[in-house]
Structures are given as structure tokens and as C-alpha cells.
Amino acid sequence: MPSEALPIPGSSMFTVTVGFVNRATLDKDPHEVASMFDAVARRYDLTNTVLSLGQDRFWRRATRSALRIGPGDKVLDLAAGTAVSTVELAASGAWCVAADFSVGMLAAGADRPVPKVGADATRLPFDDGVFDAVTISFGLRNVVDHAEGLREMARVTRPGGRLVVCEFSTPTNGLFATVYKEYLMQALPRVARAVSSNPDAYVYLAESIRAWPNQADLAHQIADAGWSAVRWRNLTGGIVALHAATKPLR
Ligand SMILES: C[S@@+](CC[C@H](N)C(=O)[O-])C[C@H]1O[C@@H](n2cnc3c(N)ncnc32)[C@H](O)[C@@H]1O
């Protein structure tokens, strides 16, 4: 566990054991996923900003605003990585905790002033209903059993609490979708080779985005996991979608 991880009420902690692999296949194993993120952690924030052409900051602000959080709210930022997403959420005045199972990613964000917890999204170390809102940015696609992750997020959210999933999605314009697909498969791995410490991980990134469900299919999966009032909003022409939902009152 990284030294900056802090306990929070109703939580228990665990440590993940990681080994090194170059690249996770699309049939992901959770340990491979954690290792892959450990390997890219050091330059993760920079690589993200370069590959998204600076759009990542706009996507994070939109996520915070969609979550409708403020002072007095307790918020879980799941698969928070280096906690860059958590810091943006905390700017609302809410109390926000970063949870991730990559010790390397949490450690790379050690100087970010938010509490951090080592946690697997499919077995969250929190009691039922302790959070007012939960969110996951660019993380759900990487959770091997993401249906279980969505159910766990519902379990730890109070009735009436809110979910926002920020994730890569399907561009809505056909021509733009073709150009984007080319960028994903051709340019992105090349750019990653120049800036990332583990370019192969970005080949996985491109493949995993292509394999991910579109907006409507993900909305169905969120509803199936026990969330209500599921809706979505496209950002940057559908490159990213924000799915929002509410935990039913009963
Ligand atoms: C692309 S990063 C996103 C980090 C951050 N949310 C952001 O917006 O920059 C994906 C993160 O998901 C985490 N992750 C993947 N599967 C996970 C799981 N089962 N439990 C916890 N974290 C997981 C990885 O360790 C990684 O840090």
C-alpha cells in the first residue's frame, strides 16, 4: 500500500500483488491491468494530456459539474489512478477519496492532497450507502468485471445518491468516427511511443476503446446493475460520454 493511503470510516484496506507484463490483452486479467498501469504511472498525466490534445481537462470539469457535488458531500472517485480526477472533484468543496488497485498510479499522485485508498472496484472496502456520489473516469472500461463494478458502486452509494461514469465512447458523426478510428489505431500508438514509458499499454488503450459498448448499450448495463434514471451526454462529438444515474430510494 502506498504510504499516502489513508483509512476512511467504514473501510478496510488491502494490498494488491503486482508483477510486470508489457501489455494486457483484451481478455484482461486484473493483475495484468494493475501491472500495466503501474508501468505507465510515472508519465501517465502528461501522456493523457498529449494524447487527448488537452481535452482531458475539459472532460474532468464536465464530470464534476454532472455529479452536482458540493460541501458536505462524501464522494468516491473510483479507479482514480494518480488522483488527477479526484483533485478536480475536490475543487467543489466536497470530501473526495481516490481509490485504485494500482499502487504505482496512487504513488505517482502522492503529492496530490486528497485521501487515497488501495481498492479493487469489484470488492470495495466500504460499507453500504456511505457515499453521496460515486464516479469513475476512464476506469470502468479497464475493470475486468465492469458489471460487478457498477453493482459495487451502487452498493456503497446512499439511496438517492448519484453516479457519473466518464468514459470513451462512440463518435456520433460517421465521417468523424472514421477519422477518429484511424487516429486510435495509427497515430495514437506512435505518439505514445514518443511520450509514454510503456507505449504497448496505449495499443491496449486503442483496442479497448474500440471494443467498448456504445452510449445506449452502456446505459442498459448501468440500469441492469441497479441504477435508475440513467441518461448520457456526449462530449467532444461522442469521443467521450458522461453517463449519469441515481441510486433508487428503495
Ligand atoms: C485510465 S486510468 C484512469 C485514472 C483516472 N481516473 C483519470 O481519469 O485519469 C484507469 C485506472 O483504472 C484502474 N483500475 C482498473 N481496474 C481496476 C479495478 N478493478 N479496481 C480498481 N482500479 C482499477 C487502473 O489501475 C487505472 O489507474
Side-chain angles (χ1 to χ4, degrees):
M1 175 162 329
S3 55
E4 76 282 13
L6 299 176
I8 69 165
S11 82
S12 59
M13 303 254 195
F14 71 96
T15 308
V16 282
T17 309
V18 292
F20 182 79
V21 290
N22 276 330
R23 175 181 163 193
T25 65
L26 282 175
D27 300 326
K28 292 166 288 192
D29 168 85
H31 291 101
E32 286 183 338
V33 175
S35 307
M36 185 184 70
F37 281 102
D38 284 341
V40 299
R42 200 170 50 83
R43 303 186 76 176
Y44 172 83
D45 292 341
L46 169 72
T47 310
N48 242 5
T49 301
V50 172
L51 292 180
S52 71
L53 309 175
Q55 289 288 295
D56 57 329
R57 291 180 188 141
F58 159 64
W59 297 334
R60 292 187 198 296
R61 278 199 300 275
T63 301
R64 162 154 70 92
S65 144
L67 208 50
R68 292 184 289 108
I69 49 175
D73 284 329
K74 285 203 240 26
V75 180
L76 171 63
D77 184 19
L78 189 56
T82 61
V84 62
S85 45
T86 324
V87 166
E88 174 62 41
L89 298 171
S92 67
W95 183 89
C96 304
V97 59
D100 201 286
F101 74 173
S102 162
V103 174
M105 289 289 275
L106 289 173
D111 57 354
R112 295 211 161 100
V114 287
K116 303 176 187 73
V117 176
D120 184 332
T122 59
R123 286 181 303 151
L124 288 175
F126 306 113
D127 289 343
D128 295 356
V130 291
F131 292 103
D132 299 293
V134 298
T135 185
I136 182 164
S137 299
F138 309 107
L140 191 60
R141 183 177 28 87
N142 297 292
V143 175
V144 174
D145 185 351
H146 66 267
E148 185 58 22
L150 287 166
R151 282 192 290 273
E152 271 293 88
M153 285 191 273
R155 181 184 66 73
V156 301
T157 303
R158 68 163 170 80
R162 299 164 314 275
L163 166 75
V164 170
V165 176
C166 173
E167 191 48 89
F168 291 112
S169 200
T170 304
T172 47
N173 175 291
L175 179 62
F176 178 54
T178 308
V179 173
Y180 175 62
K181 221 178 276 175
E182 278 304 298
Y183 169 72
L184 277 184
M185 298 321 288
Q186 307 294 332
L188 184 142
R190 275 191 223 151
V191 178
R193 223 161 271 136
V195 286
S196 169
S197 44
N198 183 358
D200 286 343
Y202 289 87
V203 176
Y204 159 78
L205 170 74
E207 290 172 357
S208 70
I209 293 171
R210 278 165 58 110
W212 187 242
N214 66 20
Q215 289 83 337
D217 290 344
L218 181 59
H220 283 299
Q221 293 184 17
I222 292 171
D224 288 347
W227 293 92
S228 63
V230 184
R231 64 264 182 210
W232 73 84
R233 180 184 153 209
N234 291 314
L235 302 177
T236 321
I239 286 182
V240 166
L242 294 184
H243 283 74
T246 306
K247 166 92 173 267
L249 290 174
R250 58 179 67 220

